[in-house]
Amino acid sequence: MSHTHAQGSDARTQAIVRELAVVHQLAAKDHQVGEPGLYSRIIVIVDGNIPSQDDDESCYLTPVAAPRSGQGYYTLTKADGAKRPAGISEDEARLSQQDSEVTTLLDAYYWITDRGFDVAAQSIQVILISNIGPCTGCQARLRIFHGDLLAAAQQTGSKVSITVDSVYDTPEAFRNRTRGNKIPTTYGYPDAVRTPYDISGQQGAYWVYRLPSLQ
């Protein structure tokens, strides 16, 4: 591993840990009224450039989206939105249509298609940060989002590589739960990779699931 690449990996890890702390701080307030909801934001790294707050020229950090804030194209319930996959039931789509990822994915998509493809020369890395792994419905949304980015890149003639990761730091990689009227769902990915870190003596680990390459 080159020194430059190692520095890039360290900066990426620091950004992930920083944003995990942000979403957990917000989720902690939900403990006062029950289980914490899922907060999310996306880090868009362009050609190795890692964003900080209000940095949207060469890379991007979406605002943090709160639970029950989702709306728009990725609800999987809108007639003029993304099509619901056969593997996602109407009930699953309906119960998760306001999840925070719905808004976060659309925000990232807009920036990447409006700005990202223009400034990227080699790569765009999308990292979805959340305090809990995405549910079954939002895992489908993430796959659709990935495909949408690749289609948009092809349409604009961009040849950059595009990767999409889901990162969270629950004790286990995934958990089977129920939503609403006993609709089963899975939060997180069984195939997520536990990734330890040590930043200035602060030690811990998070889960990383990289969506399979579609390129």
Side-chain angles (χ1 to χ4, degrees), residues 8-9 11-20 23 39-46 48-51 60-63 101 104-105 108 112 124-130 134 142 145 149 162-168 206-211:
S9 297
R12 181 180 185 273
T13 298
Q14 289 175 9
I16 288 172
V17 172
R18 178 191 72 207
E19 299 310 329
L20 282 168
V23 296
Y39 288 80
S40 65
R41 84 183 318 172
I42 282 177
I43 303 172
V44 182
I45 301 174
V46 179
N49 295 314
I50 297 172
Y60 188 53
L61 184 65
T62 71
E101 295 98 325
T104 305
L105 292 174
I112 293 169
I124 294 177
Q125 301 175 57
V126 176
I127 307 174
L128 173 67
I129 304 288
S130 55
L142 201 56
F145 164 82
L149 285 184
I162 299 173
T163 57
V164 178
D165 293 345
S166 174
V167 172
Y168 50 97
Y206 50 77
W207 300 101
V208 179
Y209 178 78
R210 173 156 293 180
L211 271 64

Side-chain angles (χ1 to χ4, degrees), residues 9-212:
S9 297
D10 289 345
R12 181 180 185 273
T13 298
Q14 289 175 9
I16 288 172
V17 172
R18 178 191 72 207
E19 299 310 329
L20 282 168
V22 170
V23 296
H24 275 290
Q25 183 178 19
L26 293 169
K29 298 177 182 178
D30 288 350
H31 278 292
Q32 299 171 8
V33 293
E35 281 203 35
L38 191 153
Y39 288 80
S40 65
R41 84 183 318 172
I42 282 177
I43 303 172
V44 182
I45 301 174
V46 179
D47 295 337
N49 295 314
I50 297 172
S52 56
Q53 196 72 38
D54 300 323
D55 183 0
D56 61 359
E57 289 299 314
S58 60
C59 44
Y60 188 53
L61 184 65
T62 71
V64 177
R68 298 171 294 281
S69 67
Q71 57 183 325
Y73 183 78
Y74 289 110
T75 60
L76 303 185
T77 59
K78 291 175 64 69
D80 58 348
K83 183 178 180 181
R84 176 175 56 85
I88 301 299
S89 68
E90 290 185 16
D91 286 335
E92 173 72 34
R94 176 179 53 81
L95 288 170
S96 62
Q97 65 181 327
Q98 290 187 309
D99 284 1
S100 64
E101 295 98 325
V102 176
T103 292
T104 305
L105 292 174
L106 189 59
D107 190 351
Y109 178 84
Y110 280 147
W111 185 87
I112 293 169
T113 55
D114 289 345
R115 177 73 180 166
F117 289 138
D118 291 335
V119 299
Q122 297 179 325
S123 65
I124 294 177
Q125 301 175 57
V126 176
I127 307 174
L128 173 67
I129 304 288
S130 55
N131 57 304
I132 304 169
C135 70
T136 300
C138 288
Q139 290 173 24
R141 293 179 175 96
L142 201 56
R143 292 192 298 270
I144 294 169
F145 164 82
H146 190 193
D148 288 347
L149 285 184
L150 294 176
Q154 184 176 30
Q155 188 174 12
T156 61
S158 174
K159 302 296 184 182
V160 299
S161 67
I162 299 173
T163 57
V164 178
D165 293 345
S166 174
V167 172
Y168 50 97
D169 59 352
T170 48
E172 57 281 302
F174 72 101
R175 181 181 292 182
N176 295 320
R177 303 292 294 272
T178 57
R179 300 185 68 154
N181 188 25
K182 301 301 182 183
I183 303 301
T185 193
T186 299
Y187 289 91
Y189 297 90
D191 296 333
V193 176
R194 186 177 183 274
T195 306
Y197 63 83
D198 186 340
I199 301 174
S200 301
Q202 177 190 356
Q203 298 180 340
Y206 50 77
W207 300 101
V208 179
Y209 178 78
R210 173 156 293 180
L211 271 64

